[in-house]
């Protein structure tokens, strides 16, 4: 009679143990959402000042837009905006036909220039003065206005802590009702949330700026957490 192969037996036993581990029961768990928000009075503002000009000559409209842009950059410098907080965001010159297609075939071609300057103002008290000066300097659009805080990173972390506490509190409600004990978090996933709302677009045909109430903004965090039931 052939003796059993001890090596093969050991391998079969190891495979059996490994296979049984694959079918181990998953831990009982619950998935909850936690939300945290920290209110703060903003001390900074970012905005985009724009130029829209037209002319019958592409060279002429480019020259005009260059002149206005240089003026806007100089105005920003006069308002103590640092060079790191200025960025030419968009430069576009395009053919702009006038009227319907048939009319456009008869009308002279017009060129339109669009230029934008993105600005971060670290002293929010200068906002009204800056906007007024930009309109006086030739800007005729203003958009992507968003109020911000210089302590954004610190406040974001505080919002995350509040979100985790909120998630645990929500999970504890379900655990209590189910007669179970809440265990440790199994997974944590943060949802991307905008911290400061973007505001309106203003198209200015006069030089005086609209009064803006800054109010408060909320630094928000949302987490998806899976908790284990013990």
């Amino acid at each position: 009679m052939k003796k059993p192969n001890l090596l093969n037996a050991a391998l079969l036993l190891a495979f059996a143990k490994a296979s049984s581990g694959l079918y181990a029961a998953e831990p009982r768990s619950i998935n909850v959402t936690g939300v945290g928000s920290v209110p703060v009075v903003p001390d900074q503002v970012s905005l985009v000042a724009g130029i829209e000009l037209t002319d019958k000559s592409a060279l002429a409209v480019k020259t005009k837009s260059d002149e206005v842009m240089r003026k806007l950059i100089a105005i920003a410098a006069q308002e103590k905006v640092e060079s790191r907080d200025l960025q030419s965001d968009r430069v576009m010159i395009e053919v702009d036909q006038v009227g319907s297609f048939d009319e456009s075939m008869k009308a002279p071609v017009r060129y339109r220039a669009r230029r934008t300057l993105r600005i971060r103002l670290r002293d929010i008290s200068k906002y009204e003065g800056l906007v007024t000066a930009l309109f006086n300097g030739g800007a005729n659009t203003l958009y992507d206005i968003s109020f911000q805080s210089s302590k954004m990173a610190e406040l974001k972390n505080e919002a995350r802590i509040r979100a985790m506490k909120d998630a645990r509190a929500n999970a504890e409600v379900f655990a209590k009702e189910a007669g179970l004990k809440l265990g440790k978090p199994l997974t944590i996933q943060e949802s991307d949330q905008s911290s400061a709302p973007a505001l309106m677009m203003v198209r200015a045909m006069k030089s005086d700026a609209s009064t803006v109430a800054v109010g408060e903004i909320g630094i928000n965090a949302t987490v998806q957490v899976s908790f284990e039931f013990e």
Side-chain angles (χ1 to χ4, degrees), residues 166-220:
D166 183 55
R168 177 170 286 278
N170 293 336
E172 284 175 346
V173 171
F174 292 104
K176 182 179 178 180
E177 289 301 314
L180 298 170
K181 183 179 178 182
L182 194 66
K184 63 184 179 180
L186 298 174
T187 61
I188 302 172
Q189 183 174 357
E190 182 177 18
S191 300
D192 186 25
Q193 295 288 330
S194 177
S195 297
L199 299 184
M200 66 287 184
M201 176 174 182
V202 179
R203 188 174 294 273
M205 301 307 294
K206 55 181 181 178
S207 62
D208 57 320
S210 300
T211 301
V212 175
V214 174
E216 285 187 344
I217 58 174
I219 311 302
N220 305 314

Side-chain angles (χ1 to χ4, degrees), residues 128-156:
E128 296 258 4
L130 173 64
V131 171
T132 299
L134 290 172
F135 286 159
N136 286 334
N140 50 27
T141 60
L142 181 67
Y143 60 100
D144 274 5
I145 306 168
S146 63
F147 296 112
Q148 304 163 354
S149 171
S150 57
K151 298 180 180 179
M152 193 72 73
E154 175 185 339
L155 296 172
K156 184 68 174 179

Side-chain angles (χ1 to χ4, degrees), residues 11-205:
L11 289 173
L12 287 172
L13 179 60
F15 178 77
K17 288 183 178 180
S19 299
S20 64
L22 293 176
Y23 298 98
E26 291 291 332
R28 293 178 297 180
S29 63
I30 183 173
N31 298 320
V32 293
T33 299
V35 178
S37 181
V38 181
V40 62
V41 176
D43 57 5
Q44 298 181 353
V45 61
S46 68
L47 55 93
V48 175
I51 308 165
E52 285 194 22
L53 302 172
T54 59
D55 199 283
K56 293 181 180 180
S57 164
L59 179 59
V61 79
K62 179 184 182 302
T63 301
K64 288 179 182 179
S65 67
D66 288 345
E67 291 173 357
V68 176
M69 183 56 65
R70 278 193 291 268
K71 189 181 293 185
L72 297 185
I73 292 173
I75 289 170
Q78 290 171 5
E79 296 294 327
K80 309 300 182 183
V81 178
E82 300 179 29
S83 58
R84 61 175 176 155
D85 294 328
L86 289 174
Q87 182 181 28
S88 296
D89 201 45
R90 181 184 184 190
V91 180
M92 180 181 293
I93 298 176
E94 57 188 352
V95 175
D96 186 19
Q97 295 283 359
V98 181
S100 66
F101 177 78
D102 292 335
E103 292 171 339
S104 298
M105 296 302 293
K106 300 175 184 177
V109 172
R110 186 173 65 179
Y111 293 88
R112 182 179 298 272
R114 292 188 175 95
R115 305 279 297 267
T116 57
L117 180 65
R118 186 173 294 273
I119 303 171
R120 172 180 287 180
L121 189 59
R122 296 179 186 269
D123 183 354
I124 202 168
S125 66
K126 296 181 178 180
Y127 171 77
E128 296 258 4
L130 173 64
V131 171
T132 299
L134 290 172
F135 286 159
N136 286 334
N140 50 27
T141 60
L142 181 67
Y143 60 100
D144 274 5
I145 306 168
S146 63
F147 296 112
Q148 304 163 354
S149 171
S150 57
K151 298 180 180 179
M152 193 72 73
E154 175 185 339
L155 296 172
K156 184 68 174 179
N157 286 337
E158 175 61 29
R160 289 181 175 120
I161 292 171
R162 295 187 183 187
M164 278 298 298
K165 290 180 178 178
D166 183 55
R168 177 170 286 278
N170 293 336
E172 284 175 346
V173 171
F174 292 104
K176 182 179 178 180
E177 289 301 314
L180 298 170
K181 183 179 178 182
L182 194 66
K184 63 184 179 180
L186 298 174
T187 61
I188 302 172
Q189 183 174 357
E190 182 177 18
S191 300
D192 186 25
Q193 295 288 330
S194 177
S195 297
L199 299 184
M200 66 287 184
M201 176 174 182
V202 179
R203 188 174 294 273
M205 301 307 294

